[in-house]
Amino acid sequence: QVQLVESGGGSVQAGGSLRLSCEASGGGTNSTICMAWFRQAPGQDRKWVASIYRDDGTTYYLDSLKGRFTIAQDNAKNTMYLQMNSLKPDDTAMYYCAAKWSRGGSCGIASYIGAWGRGTQVIVSS
């Protein structure tokens, strides 16, 4: 079973940057097809942010975040990252790391995710 642990959240002012990390461990890590970041703001549903495919590093982003957020991975360290720049108060949310190893479905749809981290809080003040 894959375990995911996020880190790097915190409080920043608008315009600032944060880098989130997600370390994967446990059996099955090398079987992961893709990993993703989701976020959930208070009172809202959990929403997909970005995905990265383990084998070739292909990335996908929520359109509204392109240019500000960058997803990356270091397979040797079993770690995924989310670099967030030019942060806005609307980016305030709990950010969750997710992993998918099933071959069907999308990495951007929560119902296809096989494992979740516990989340790391990001607060952006104006």
Side-chain angles (χ1 to χ4, degrees):
Q1 186 75 2
V2 175
Q3 288 87 44
L4 304 173
V5 178
E6 303 96 334
S7 61
S11 296
V12 295
Q13 290 190 328
S17 298
L18 284 173
R19 187 193 193 206
L20 307 184
S21 298
C22 171
E23 184 174 357
S25 62
T29 300
N30 291 336
S31 299
T32 301
I33 291 176
C34 58
M35 295 185 70
W37 289 98
F38 286 73
R39 68 184 184 183
Q40 186 168 18
Q44 297 185 21
D45 293 334
R46 191 172 297 187
K47 297 179 180 178
W48 170 73
V49 171
S51 303
I52 187 165
Y53 279 74
R54 182 181 176 89
D55 284 351
D56 63 7
T58 300
T59 59
Y60 298 91
Y61 296 92
L62 185 66
D63 283 346
S64 60
L65 300 177
K66 286 180 181 177
R68 293 197 299 123
F69 287 18
T70 303
I71 191 171
Q73 64 186 357
D74 184 336
N75 287 343
K77 296 182 179 180
N78 289 323
T79 301
M80 176 180 65
Y81 305 95
L82 185 68
Q83 177 68 42
M84 305 186 295
N85 298 327
S86 302
L87 283 163
K88 305 175 181 179
D90 285 349
D91 295 319
T92 295
M94 184 73 78
Y95 284 71
Y96 295 93
C97 172
K100 173 182 175 301
W101 49 80
S102 62
R103 295 203 172 273
S106 168
C107 207
I109 298 177
S111 59
Y112 290 108
I113 296 299
W116 295 94
R118 292 189 174 185
T120 185
Q121 182 70 51
V122 171
I123 298 173
V124 184
S125 57
S126 58

